Amino acid sequence: MPPSLTSFTDDARIAFDTLTDRATGLVNPTLRLGVTGLSRAGKTVFISSLVHNLLNGGRLPLFEPVRSGRVSSIRLEPQPDDAIPRFQYEDHIQALVRERIWPDSTRAISELRITLDYQSASGWSRMFSPGRLSIDIVDYPGEWLLDLPLLAQDYKTFSDNAVSLAGNGVRAELAREWFGLAASIDMEGPADEMTARRLSESFAAYLKACKSDERSLSTLPPGRFLLPGELDGSPALTFAPMPNVPDTRPEKGSLRAMMERRFEAYKSVVVKPFFREHFARLDRQIVLIDALQAVNRGPEAVQDLERALADVLACFRPGTNSFLSSLLGRRIDRVLVAATKADHLHHESHDRLQAITRRLVDRAIHRIGMTGAGIDVMALASVRATREATVREDGHLLPVITGTPMPGERIGDEIFDGIKKTAIFPGDLPENPEAFFRDIDGSDEKTSLPDLNIVRFRPPSVDEIGGGIALSVPHIRLDRAMQFLFGDRLA
């Protein structure tokens, strides 16, 4: 990707927005935390659990400001951006705690502000710091993040990349209809709205098939083809990549000219505003991934997740916020990549899940460089839906997890009803994460992958007293994530 994704005008507007944010921050210190993730990773659940545990005195032994008792109060406050929908925390907690269902997934951008009053650990800092930090949590779909590399591409490059990717592995079968339609159309012929519509619908159907639970593929730009929202049916979303696009200027009035113009409109109308108004204003970022789902679907899904992560992490601006750079242009100085649903495994496999996640991001970390930007990896469960136990089988103790599987989940011939609790042996991840990558990397050595029993569980039952929630939502390593993402700003 080129060093800059934006024009001089965009950079000037970003600098102005940053100056405005910093001026406001002198009165009310603020950290903007971006929360995103690839499909099924649990962004909404992460934010809901984080806020709930902070507000309700959750067990957070690894979050030093709370553990040491330096935080005196925590509260939700009105968000600063009136034009952005509020993250509906109360509705999501109602679904999790009272109804024991998972809240709806992220389909658009939203925001929530939580403010912490604290006493600095440093006597010197207590003399000058107001002892208050507002955290603006910005929730947005991971598909939007995967669009940012498009800013560095023209229509031909976009088409070549999309066609090349669609021609490999399981994608080739899923793209058959789109490939057939594209091959039958003369892109140099006259522009026709119905032809453009059929192409875009066929390409969108291919992307949706890739995203389905049966395939669980992750590299799926343009993201708004999957989440069109208010742009559904607009010209900016009525285009598609084409095979064998020539490296010449298209004839005026041709279908190719229409495709190129609409691709550029997509970048201008959809991608640039998101980058300029939201992404470029972030201070910290967490990227959630469902690594277990990819592992369960096999090497091709793992390879695709690795490719998506490389594209995602390449979008971040590595570097530390110096005083001048923080005024003129933010740098995201901490990025956390977290594999969710660690509660679907016994704790003996948590370090192995983390090792697999580290392997997934190794190439991307090398690609963007470690200088300045702090990147960490962990396995967590935003909401712990299971407990651990042991069962005796054939004279051996077997580590299992217990919980209530979602209705319709199955293992072998057993289909769960969403009511009955059960004990499940999820399987063991290998000690060496390379076992998942040898075939992907083209090695002649074939490795048999473990059989995993990964099912979705209902949220746990949380006790209530007098109509109020008595206990915070249980989690795994949520406090460690908090410490990395904003613990230093409460020092």
Side-chain angles (χ1 to χ4, degrees):
M1 295 172 60
S4 176
L5 296 178
T6 58
S7 67
F8 175 80
T9 303
D10 292 324
D11 289 340
R13 292 182 64 177
I14 290 170
F16 177 79
D17 290 341
T18 301
L19 283 168
T20 302
D21 290 342
R22 294 304 185 193
T24 304
L26 293 175
V27 179
N28 184 16
T30 303
L31 179 143
R32 290 182 66 84
L33 171 63
V35 179
T36 195
L38 304 181
S39 182
R40 301 167 295 272
K43 299 175 290 295
T44 302
V45 175
F46 173 83
I47 298 172
S48 301
S49 181
L50 182 149
V51 173
H52 188 265
N53 273 275
L54 286 174
L55 291 176
N56 292 278
R59 296 187 61 185
L60 306 170
L62 297 182
F63 186 44
E64 188 278 333
V66 167
R67 184 194 69 219
S68 63
R70 294 191 295 105
V71 176
S72 57
S73 69
I74 304 173
R75 60 193 177 278
L76 291 175
E77 291 194 320
Q79 66 192 67
D81 300 307
D82 293 334
I84 300 175
R86 182 180 183 272
F87 179 86
Q88 296 300 327
Y89 162 74
E90 295 82 3
D91 294 343
H92 299 322
I93 282 297
Q94 170 81 12
L96 279 169
V97 175
R98 303 281 166 78
E99 302 173 33
R100 293 186 63 198
I101 59 175
W102 298 110
D104 293 337
S105 60
T106 300
R107 303 190 64 83
I109 197 162
S110 63
E111 189 175 281
L112 188 71
R113 169 170 283 193
I114 186 166
T115 297
L116 296 84
D117 292 322
Y118 68 99
Q119 184 179 56
S120 174
S122 165
W124 178 261
S125 296
R126 285 197 293 270
M127 295 176 60
F128 299 99
S129 170
R132 177 176 300 164
L133 178 69
S134 292
I135 302 172
D136 291 337
I137 302 173
V138 182
D139 174 35
Y140 64 94
E143 288 84 357
W144 294 13
L145 192 58
L146 286 170
D147 274 353
L148 291 185
L150 299 180
L151 291 175
Q153 300 174 16
D154 59 14
Y155 177 71
K156 174 176 170 54
T157 304
F158 161 66
S159 292
D160 290 347
N161 291 343
V163 170
S164 175
L165 186 61
N168 294 318
V170 68
R171 286 177 180 260
E173 177 60 31
L174 300 178
R176 184 184 298 275
E177 180 181 336
W178 163 51
F179 276 157
L181 179 60
S184 68
I185 293 172
D186 179 11
M187 74 179 80
E188 306 300 337
D192 177 73
E193 186 63 40
M194 292 308 297
T195 300
R197 180 178 170 182
R198 286 190 293 127
L199 277 169
S200 65
E201 290 176 348
S202 181
F203 181 65
Y206 149 72
L207 293 178
K208 292 173 183 176
C210 290
K211 184 182 177 181
S212 68
D213 286 344
E214 292 76 16
R215 303 301 180 186
S216 299
L217 300 178
S218 303
T219 309
L220 304 169
R224 289 297 183 95
F225 277 55
L226 296 169
L227 298 170
E230 73 282 359
L231 294 173
D232 191 19
S234 68
L237 264 64
T238 311
F239 70 94
M242 297 285 286
N244 304 315
V245 174
D247 192 13
T248 59
R249 293 179 64 87
E251 291 291 332
K252 186 177 181 179
S254 67
L255 180 65
R256 177 158 69 100
M258 173 191 279
M259 294 288 108
E260 290 194 9
R261 185 176 65 254
R262 291 184 174 183
F263 174 71
E264 293 300 323
Y266 182 83
K267 293 195 296 182
S268 298
V269 173
V270 176
V271 187
K272 276 192 175 184
F274 165 66
F275 177 83
R276 183 179 61 242
E277 298 167 13
H278 305 294
F279 184 78
R281 297 174 60 199
L282 298 177
D283 299 301
R284 304 282 168 86
Q285 176 72 53
I286 181 169
V287 180
L288 303 169
I289 63 171
D290 189 353
L292 279 179
Q293 178 83 343
V295 165
N296 213 27
R297 292 295 179 262
E300 191 166 353
V302 173
Q303 181 186 38
D304 203 68
L305 177 57
E306 182 182 41
R307 181 187 301 111
L309 280 174
D311 289 343
V312 163
L313 293 180
C315 296
F316 294 107
R317 296 178 166 187
T320 302
N321 273 323
S322 67
F323 176 74
L324 184 60
S325 69
S326 67
L327 288 177
L328 298 181
R330 273 188 171 94
R331 294 286 189 268
I332 295 175
D333 57 0
R334 292 196 179 186
V335 178
L336 177 62
V337 179
T340 58
K341 305 177 185 177
D343 59 327
H344 287 45
L345 297 171
H346 195 271
H347 77 270
E348 294 175 354
S349 285
H350 287 184
D351 59 339
R352 301 178 184 184
L353 176 59
Q354 183 165 305
I356 292 169
T357 307
R358 169 63 66 183
R359 174 61 178 78
L360 279 166
V361 303
D362 269 349
R363 293 179 183 176
I365 289 175
H366 177 73
R367 176 178 168 184
I368 67 174
M370 291 295 294
T371 303
I375 301 177
D376 200 4
V377 169
M378 70 177 63
L380 58 78
S382 305
V383 173
R384 182 172 187 168
T386 66
R387 295 294 180 185
E388 295 185 353
T390 56
V391 298
R392 184 173 296 277
E393 184 174 297
D394 298 330
H396 300 283
L397 289 177
L398 195 65
V400 298
I401 55 175
T402 65
T404 306
M406 296 284 289
E409 291 291 294
R410 75 161 61 221
I411 294 180
D413 295 331
E414 183 175 7
I415 301 177
F416 299 101
D417 59 10
I419 300 174
K420 179 182 176 182
K421 283 188 176 182
T422 190
I424 295 173
F425 174 62
D428 292 321
L429 295 176
E431 292 185 17
N432 183 2
E434 293 301 320
F436 289 99
F437 297 90
R438 289 190 182 117
D439 295 344
I440 292 172
D441 291 338
S443 170
D444 292 333
E445 178 183 356
K446 298 298 180 181
T447 304
S448 60
L449 299 177
D451 292 326
L452 299 176
N453 294 318
I454 305 299
V455 301
R456 295 178 300 164
F457 291 89
R458 291 185 64 191
S461 175
V462 178
D463 294 334
E464 296 183 2
I465 297 177
I469 299 167
L471 299 174
S472 57
V473 175
H475 63 86
I476 298 175
R477 298 185 193 90
L478 185 63
D479 50 346
R480 181 182 156 193
M482 292 182 191
Q483 183 63 31
F484 177 79
L485 290 168
F486 49 83
D488 62 310
R489 294 291 298 270
L490 298 163

